[in-house]
Amino acid sequence: MKLYTLKTLFCISLLLVVKMVRPQNAAIEVSGTVISATNGQALEFATVMLVNPITEKAMAGTTTDKNGVFRLTSPTKDFHVKVSFIGFEAQTLKDLQIEGKTLDVGEISLAENVANLDEVEIRAEKSRTEFKLDKRVFNVGKDLSSSGASALEVLDNVPSVNVNIEGEISLRGSQGVQILINGKPSVLASEGGNALGTITADMIDKIEVITNPSAKYEAEGTSGIINIVIKKEERKGVNGSVSLNTGSPHNHSFGLSLNRRTEKFNLFSQLGAGYRELPNDTDNINRDLRNNTAIISDGREYRNETFYNLILGTDYLIDKNNIITLSGSFALEMEDQPSQTNFSFEDSTGLISSEWFRTEETEAVNPKFQYELQYKRNFTDHKDHVLLFSALGNSFVKDLSSTFSNQNTLGDFTNNNQRTQSDFKEARYTFKLDYTKPFTDEWTLETGAQYVIMDVGNEYALEDLIDNEWIENEALTNDFDYDQKVLGIYGTGAYENDRWGVKAGLRVENTDLRILLVNTDESNRQLFTNLFPSLHTSYKFSEFISLQAGYSRRISRPRMWDLNPFFNPRNNFSIRAGNPNLLPEFTDSYELTSIYLFNKASLNFGVYHRFTTDVVERVATFEDNVTISMPMNIGTNQATGIELNGKYTPAKWFTLNGDFNFQYFNRKGTFQNTSFDFNADQWSTQLTGKFALPADIDVEIS
């Protein structure tokens, strides 16, 4: 009986113990997302701890991923969730309702801690280079020549990008690059403008280099896209930066950026001003091989420019998911172009029989305006689920007048004095709708449409001084109208996991271009629809080796200046004019890139190939000692190249960056039974060393 009673008590005790122990040992899967209460963006590397509610000792911990998501396991149901991130107020979740073996705490919003932000100095920098599925991202940190540099200098330090002394930007040795600011065209990045020189590196967050743009992007630009992403300070209160740059030949600029942020508004402004001189020495020989005579000329041209730009804008946070941005910018350029060209006429015996010089005085005022309304809708199911609409307007006016005077010094070979007046107006309106929908963390769909209207007018008049009276030259006076409308629709689909990714897309663009010379009633219309497919893929062999491949089709439509038949008569014996019948170029671009990460170094090696049809080249004709060059569609061009760039940090105080690009091209073409076949190779390289000295001083040698 006693034995039976003991067995019964033992079994009851065992059941009670098991019942008590099982809940304590049952594992609970805890998950959630950490976001910023200010803008709703995910916080990467936020710390999440499960703590004992009595002792407050940590039982488990982790950090959030790039989407702000965390997952960890608790050995017990009795715990608190404590979330913290530097610069934000920590938050502790208590009284958790746990049912079953999983707990999703949802979104945890952390508010910024202004006091902490003022006290904490973040010493770490972002990685200089990030590789995305269809682009390379260069973060503008201290190792990218950022201190005191302008946007042009920053670009010149980005691998694959070159900027010459006149501010012309090329990618992999080729021009035709589309420059965007914050993903959109801007008067600050317009061709021939100088406002990029007044944007300082302190204003720039990152540079995105897209050598093979996906179908999401406008198809314009055969060499690719460079997107300059401007900072919008996330800190509350007033903050900003100022810089002063100088160079030789005269190249001076000043930049100021100010930002004011509150709970609902982000007011941002940028101010820039500068002056530069662009001297250009010219030498020309126009030789008549039949009569053995020649016109020899040499001279120096200047383009002196004073420029200003102002950007004002505001973000209004309706709530954490809806943001309206209204911004405007104004840029003003004032040009002064003094020049003198010396001429001499060489007769058939080789003797100089006439000499004279021609001077030019040109003044131009170029105001530019841009205004934009943007609406952004963030969806709560995923941080990348976004709807974006923007309406963008641009206006550019150029009022240019020139006077050309001849002075004879030997003999009597001279031309008439001339003057020109050009009133140029350009208006561009862009309406764009983009929608991005991630179905899972791996699958994403992008779709959208864009409509661009460009309306250009150029009234040009040339007058000759005859018998001390200015007479209009009707053959060289006209009103040029240029009207282009482009409608684009695109869709892309992407799959990307931790190791492999692929992105495919298709863009359809319809172009309606009308050109009219009013005075002579000459007109030309081009109406065409084109398909622009794209395909990108990447594979990560390990944390240290990755491979990327891409294909895209692009278009380079003729610029207004390539179509405008008027010219500057600075040198009446060497004339450049436009061609109203010019057709666009089309380029198929292929590339393969490999990325290697080592302990103290990173290396990127790539090969690429571009095939271009309807290639545009300037064709020169010669008659009566006058050379006239005009752009023509002459054939095809194939360019193949290799690219190598890397970074090596052997010590904390020394960093070495290198970039090398080699390209071979082969052009095939004919014009009026004349062969324009041509092949050549070109290469460029840049090496930059940076040294960290005491007192937080950096020295860079390029």
Side-chain angles (χ1 to χ4, degrees):
M1 182 67 180
K2 290 181 178 180
L3 182 59
Y4 176 81
T5 302
L6 290 173
K7 287 182 178 180
T8 302
L9 291 173
F10 177 80
C11 290
I12 293 172
S13 301
L14 183 61
L15 288 173
L16 289 174
V17 170
V18 170
K19 191 170 183 179
M20 293 174 62
V21 170
R22 284 183 60 188
Q24 296 296 323
N25 293 337
I28 307 298
E29 297 291 335
V30 185
S31 61
T33 305
V34 182
I35 64 173
S36 168
T38 303
N39 53 26
Q41 292 184 351
L43 295 179
E44 187 179 4
F45 299 121
T47 301
V48 183
M49 304 289 292
L50 302 184
V51 299
N52 187 297
I54 299 175
T55 65
E56 294 190 354
K57 290 185 177 180
M59 300 186 298
T62 187
T63 58
T64 56
D65 62 15
K66 64 180 181 180
N67 298 318
V69 176
F70 68 87
R71 292 182 178 85
L72 70 172
T73 302
S74 171
T76 174
K77 284 188 174 182
D78 196 7
F79 60 87
H80 293 164
V81 179
K82 187 174 182 179
V83 184
S84 61
F85 189 63
I86 190 167
F88 289 77
E89 296 179 357
Q91 188 175 148
T92 302
L93 304 184
K94 303 178 181 179
D95 301 324
L96 301 170
Q97 302 297 321
I98 303 174
E99 296 181 4
K101 297 183 178 181
T102 60
L103 173 64
D104 186 354
V105 298
E107 288 188 347
I108 304 173
S109 299
L110 297 186
E112 295 178 358
N113 188 327
V114 180
N116 283 349
L117 280 175
D118 292 338
E119 297 169 1
V120 177
E121 181 182 4
I122 307 300
R123 300 296 299 179
E125 285 190 11
K126 290 182 181 179
S127 169
R128 180 175 187 252
T129 307
E130 297 179 66
F131 288 87
K132 306 295 185 181
L133 191 57
D134 58 351
K135 60 188 173 185
R136 286 178 289 168
V137 180
F138 298 91
N139 295 295
V140 181
K142 292 182 179 179
D143 63 344
L144 196 55
S145 184
S146 62
S147 181
S150 71
L152 293 173
E153 292 171 289
V154 172
L155 286 172
D156 201 28
N157 279 278
V158 171
S160 309
V161 181
N162 288 309
V163 182
N164 69 12
I165 192 172
E166 294 187 349
E168 295 178 336
I169 300 169
S170 60
L171 181 60
R172 287 177 171 170
S174 300
Q175 295 184 355
V177 186
Q178 186 180 19
I179 309 297
L180 305 178
I181 294 182
N182 290 334
K184 299 177 289 293
S186 171
V187 294
L188 300 181
S190 61
E191 181 184 358
N194 308 299
L196 279 180
T198 64
I199 297 178
T200 65
D202 292 333
M203 303 176 186
I204 302 173
D205 181 33
K206 57 190 175 183
I207 306 290
E208 297 178 342
V209 177
I210 310 170
T211 51
N212 262 336
S214 72
K216 177 180 180 179
Y217 296 94
E218 185 178 355
E220 182 69 36
T222 56
S223 296
I225 295 173
I226 298 175
N227 182 31
I228 303 172
V229 181
I230 304 296
K231 291 177 180 176
K232 285 185 184 177
E233 291 289 348
E234 298 295 339
R235 292 174 291 177
K236 294 180 183 177
V238 178
N239 47 81
S241 64
V242 62
S243 71
L244 185 65
N245 301 292
T246 188
S248 180
H250 288 293
N251 190 352
H252 320 291
S253 64
F254 165 82
L256 173 66
S257 175
L258 289 175
N259 191 85
R260 166 89 169 126
R261 190 176 187 89
T262 64
E263 288 290 343
K264 286 290 186 180
F265 284 95
N266 177 35
L267 305 176
F268 53 91
S269 64
Q270 293 169 10
L271 175 67
Y275 172 79
R276 70 174 181 173
E277 293 182 358
L278 300 173
N280 183 38
D281 292 322
T282 63
D283 290 281
N284 286 285
I285 299 177
N286 291 7
R287 186 173 300 279
D288 187 334
L289 299 179
R290 292 190 179 94
N291 300 318
N292 199 29
T293 60
I295 298 289
I296 303 171
S297 64
D298 65 84
R300 166 160 282 205
E301 305 166 359
Y302 284 92
R303 195 169 84 222
N304 306 329
E305 300 170 332
T306 303
F307 48 95
Y308 309 90
N309 71 277
L310 173 65
I311 301 175
L312 293 173
T314 181
D315 297 321
Y316 173 56
L317 283 71
I318 303 174
D319 53 44
K320 68 177 183 179
N321 295 320
N322 295 275
I323 303 173
I324 292 179
T325 299
L326 181 63
S327 64
S329 65
F330 171 71
L332 177 64
E333 299 174 2
M334 292 176 289
E335 299 180 14
D336 177 26
Q337 300 183 26
S339 69
Q340 178 173 314
T341 306
N342 304 305
F343 295 89
S344 59
F345 178 75
E346 183 182 283
D347 62 23
S348 58
T349 64
L351 297 177
I352 301 298
S353 60
S354 299
E355 288 184 341
W356 68 99
F357 64 86
R358 184 174 177 86
T359 60
E360 174 189 356
E361 292 293 335
T362 292
E363 294 183 352
V365 178
N366 314 324
K368 303 178 182 181
F369 300 89
Q370 177 173 296
Y371 32 90
E372 179 183 18
L373 174 64
Q374 178 177 288
Y375 168 71
K376 183 178 182 181
R377 163 70 176 173
N378 297 312
F379 297 89
T380 57
D381 59 336
H382 196 284
K383 75 177 186 68
D384 293 327
H385 189 185
V386 175
L387 176 69
L388 185 66
F389 170 77
S390 66
L392 180 68
N394 290 284
S395 175
F396 171 46
V397 177
K398 188 180 188 75
D399 183 8
L400 183 147
S401 60
S402 302
T403 301
F404 303 90
S405 302
N406 290 350
Q407 180 66 49
N408 198 35
T409 57
L410 176 67
D412 57 0
F413 195 102
T414 183
N415 285 350
N416 292 334
N417 295 337
Q418 296 173 309
R419 69 182 184 185
T420 63
Q421 178 66 41
S422 179
D423 295 322
F424 175 83
K425 297 178 181 179
E426 174 185 305
R428 177 187 174 107
Y429 306 96
T430 303
F431 303 92
K432 191 175 183 182
L433 181 67
D434 296 296
Y435 177 69
T436 303
K437 167 63 176 175
F439 293 96
T440 66
D441 289 340
E442 290 82 21
W443 291 96
T444 302
L445 174 69
E446 294 176 312
T447 186
Q450 176 176 285
Y451 188 52
V452 181
I453 303 171
M454 181 177 288
D455 186 13
V456 179
N458 185 25
E459 297 181 13
Y460 183 86
L462 186 146
E463 296 176 321
D464 297 304
L465 184 62
I466 301 176
D467 296 330
N468 294 321
E469 183 179 356
W470 290 107
I471 305 298
E472 184 176 278
N473 188 327
E474 294 184 0
L476 297 175
T477 298
N478 216 320
D479 185 357
F480 180 79
D481 284 345
Y482 172 96
D483 181 21
Q484 178 177 277
K485 298 179 177 66
V486 180
L487 173 63
I489 301 173
Y490 76 90
T492 70
Y495 171 82
E496 187 172 13
N497 57 30
D498 293 337
R499 184 174 293 271
W500 176 71
V502 63
K503 183 176 185 178
L506 179 65
R507 186 180 187 93
V508 182
E509 287 192 353
N510 174 265
T511 303
D512 185 359
L513 173 61
R514 301 169 188 261
I515 300 170
L516 174 65
L517 291 169
V518 178
N519 294 7
T520 54
D521 197 28
E522 300 173 65
S523 63
N524 181 25
R525 185 185 184 188
Q526 299 179 22
L527 181 63
F528 48 89
T529 300
N530 304 104
L531 301 179
F532 299 96
S534 65
L535 179 64
H536 299 83
T537 186
S538 66
Y539 186 79
K540 182 183 292 185
F541 293 93
S542 67
E543 291 295 324
F544 311 103
I545 302 177
S546 300
L547 193 66
Q548 294 177 319
Y551 161 77
S552 66
R553 180 170 172 80
R554 309 290 296 164
I555 185 175
S556 180
R557 297 179 181 87
R559 302 168 300 173
M560 199 285 299
W561 298 112
D562 291 327
L563 299 168
N564 193 337
F566 307 128
F567 63 91
N568 183 325
R570 175 179 295 142
N571 185 336
N572 281 332
F573 297 93
S574 183
I575 297 173
R576 291 168 62 92
N579 176 11
N581 299 310
L582 202 61
L583 299 175
E585 294 180 336
F586 292 90
T587 297
D588 291 279
S589 179
Y590 310 81
E591 68 174 19
L592 181 66
T593 304
S594 55
I595 305 103
Y596 306 91
L597 301 177
F598 306 100
N599 183 29
K600 296 182 179 181
S602 61
L603 182 66
N604 315 305
F605 175 77
V607 295
Y608 58 90
H609 178 76
R610 290 194 295 259
F611 178 71
T612 303
T613 58
D614 291 322
V615 169
V616 176
E617 291 286 353
R618 283 199 164 267
V619 176
T621 57
F622 182 83
E623 186 175 357
D624 296 331
N625 291 316
V626 177
T627 299
I628 301 177
S629 66
M630 184 179 296
M632 298 288 183
N633 299 102
I634 63 167
T636 64
N637 187 66
Q638 298 194 59
T640 302
I642 61 173
E643 184 178 35
L644 181 68
N645 50 71
K647 176 182 178 182
Y648 178 52
T649 308
K652 292 182 179 180
W653 55 270
F654 177 60
T655 300
L656 193 65
N657 291 298
D659 181 38
F660 174 79
N661 186 83
F662 172 85
Q663 182 182 122
Y664 170 82
F665 62 92
N666 186 6
R667 186 183 68 203
K668 299 287 186 181
T670 57
F671 179 75
Q672 295 182 351
N673 299 320
T674 299
S675 173
F676 279 80
D677 292 355
F678 182 71
N679 62 80
D681 56 74
Q682 59 183 11
W683 62 271
S684 64
T685 185
Q686 178 170 294
L687 190 64
T688 302
K690 183 167 183 178
F691 306 85
L693 303 180
D696 200 24
I697 296 175
D698 293 329
V699 175
E700 183 177 85
I701 301 175
S702 297

